[in-house]
Amino acid sequence: MPRSLAGDFSGQGLRVAIAAARFNSAIVERLVDGAIDGLTRHQVSDDGITVARCPGAWELPLLCQRLASSGNYDAVLALGCVIRGDTPHFEMVANECAKGVAQAGMAAGIPVIFGVLTTDTVEQAEVRAGIKAGNKGFDAAMAAIEMSNLLKQV
Ligand code: INI
């Protein structure tokens, strides 16, 4: 039987930082709510959750890097929303954000989860922020718990 490693979804004792962009805040605050809901429903305590807000998706990588390398957290969630329709420099903001968030995780060696919506329209963003069903903030919280618990076993 091969040895199999997998993280479970118990958040007890985990310390999680949420880095949230204020740009498109009506959407992003729904992601923050979804993330906190996901974390607390999986036994992460209120004391174990820190929310840090920055101006926009462009600033998320640096904030994530600081949070991730502080030694104070088991995982970091990057939450933001970049909408193509309103953003002539969409590709630049979205690509740099994705690259920088990934680098923050690699440099710090803890999970830094990409919960940034990149959509063509506000309506698409609303759907993914829980206006109908499914919330990418909640999904990001699940990925953070699973990865934190997986990495403890590796
Ligand atoms: N920031 C976002 O998070 N989403 C966007 O859609 C967006 N648009 O449209 O430009 C955006 N811009 C701001 C950017 O992230 C920085 O905060 C700003 O350029 C200052 O560095």
Side-chain angles (χ1 to χ4, degrees):
M1 193 68 165
R3 194 160 86 99
S4 149
L5 301 178
D8 66 27
F9 290 94
S10 166
Q12 201 147 27
L14 291 183
R15 300 158 308 159
V16 179
I18 298 172
R22 280 197 305 273
F23 206 101
N24 290 322
S25 66
I27 303 285
V28 179
E29 289 307 311
R30 294 187 66 94
L31 300 179
V32 173
D33 290 346
I36 292 172
D37 184 38
L39 293 171
T40 54
R41 280 213 242 169
H42 291 79
Q43 290 77 51
V44 180
S45 69
D46 283 349
D47 285 352
I49 303 172
T50 300
V51 183
R53 289 186 172 81
C54 66
W58 184 266
E59 285 76 28
L60 281 172
L62 179 58
L63 179 56
C64 287
Q65 187 205 68
R66 285 292 177 91
L67 290 165
S69 61
S70 70
N72 294 331
Y73 306 104
D74 299 295
V76 176
L77 311 185
L79 302 183
C81 175
V82 192
I83 299 174
R84 188 189 297 271
D86 298 341
T87 316
H89 54 308
F90 171 91
E91 306 288 348
M92 251 186 294
V93 173
N95 289 343
E96 288 304 310
C97 177
K99 196 168 69 186
V101 167
Q103 278 172 355
M106 298 299 282
I110 67 166
V112 178
I113 306 299
F114 191 67
V116 178
L117 297 175
T118 56
T119 62
D120 289 329
T121 65
V122 179
E123 290 71 26
Q124 287 171 352
E126 284 172 346
V127 168
R128 292 172 205 178
I131 214 118
K132 281 189 185 159
N135 181 312
K136 195 169 169 82
F138 187 100
D139 297 345
M142 295 302 94
I145 295 172
E146 180 180 354
M147 280 299 292
S148 299
N149 291 335
L150 171 63
L151 294 186
K152 282 185 207 158
Q153 302 172 37
V154 176

